[in-house]
């Protein structure tokens, strides 16, 4: 399983700083609503799997039980063993699950869900909200009025006081 593309994507997410591993870090990421997908190893303990399910449900993200064990998952991210991890970037999460779905068909539904979510988020990025330029109080609302003259700065108040003293 050393050449598994899914595990390679998790390693990439780790190097990019978008992966939280271990119970505490996954909990923090899920409670902050920054997680996009939570992964649990196949041989994770029942208590760990139950906690991960609770965290994923609280963050409203998919919980994905992997076909890989803790050792494989840990080796992919550079740790001794890892039972649970979460990805915070939607693009990395969607790509990783897509690679997992290509190898294992039972993950196709989750892959489609994350891909759809990714396209929605990517379509919103970089767009600014349109403002109504003719709203009351805006410069276009005062049609026909002369352009406002720029106010000249009053200058340095200390210099003004010094000139007042010389005039006395």
């Amino acid at each position: 399983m050393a050449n598994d593309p899914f595990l390679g994507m998790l390693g990439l997410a780790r190097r990019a700083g978008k992966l939280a591993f271990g119970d505490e870090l996954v909990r923090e990421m899920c409670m902050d609503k920054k997680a996009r997908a939570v992964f649990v190893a196949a041989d994770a303990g029942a208590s760990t799997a139950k906690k991960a399910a609770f965290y994923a449900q609280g963050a409203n993200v998919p919980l994905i039980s992997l076909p890989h064990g803790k050792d494989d998952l840990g080796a992919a991210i550079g740790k001794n063993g890892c039972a649970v991890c979460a990805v915070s970037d939607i693009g990395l999460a969607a790509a990783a699950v897509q690679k997992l779905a290509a190898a294992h068909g039972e993950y196709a539904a989750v892959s489609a869900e994350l891909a759809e979510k990714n396209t929605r988020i990517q379509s919103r990025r970089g767009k600014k909200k349109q403002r109504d330029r003719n709203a009351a109080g805006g410069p276009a609302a005062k049609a026909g009025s002369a352009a406002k003259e720029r106010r000249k700065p009053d200058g340095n108040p200390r210099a003004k006081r010094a000139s007042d003293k010389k005039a006395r």
Side-chain angles (χ1 to χ4, degrees):
M1 302 231 177
N3 293 330
D4 189 0
F6 168 75
L7 294 176
M9 287 300 293
L10 287 185
L12 181 66
R14 159 92 165 141
R15 290 188 296 276
K18 303 291 184 181
L19 184 82
F21 52 88
D23 189 39
E24 289 297 314
L25 295 175
V26 170
R27 180 182 59 81
E28 286 178 20
M29 187 181 281
C30 288
M31 294 303 163
D32 291 342
K33 305 283 188 200
K34 293 183 179 179
R36 299 298 183 174
V38 177
F39 302 102
V40 179
D43 56 351
S47 175
T48 303
K50 186 176 178 182
K51 286 180 190 177
F54 177 73
Y55 301 152
Q57 183 181 7
N60 196 23
V61 296
L63 174 72
I64 301 159
S65 298
L66 300 174
H68 308 290
K70 291 189 281 190
D71 294 332
D72 293 335
L73 191 57
I77 63 172
K79 294 293 174 186
N80 288 337
C82 178
V84 62
C85 63
V87 178
S88 63
D89 185 71
I90 187 65
L92 284 171
V97 175
Q98 181 182 11
K99 292 184 184 300
L100 188 64
H104 306 279
E106 63 266 18
Y107 299 104
V110 177
S111 176
E113 175 187 342
L114 282 177
E116 189 267 329
K117 195 176 216 181
N118 183 23
T119 55
R120 242 184 324 155
I121 289 173
Q122 294 300 327
S123 69
R124 287 191 305 238
R125 282 196 180 159
K127 290 187 178 179
K128 293 183 179 179
K129 291 183 179 179
Q130 296 293 322
R131 296 185 304 175
D132 186 16
R133 295 191 181 267
N134 294 329
K142 299 176 184 176
S145 66
K148 287 185 179 179
E149 293 183 27
R150 290 191 176 201
R151 292 182 61 191
K152 295 181 182 177
D154 290 335
N156 188 352
R158 289 184 183 167
K160 198 176 205 181
R161 279 189 240 135
S163 66
D164 288 343
K165 287 181 184 178
K166 288 180 185 177
R168 287 186 207 174

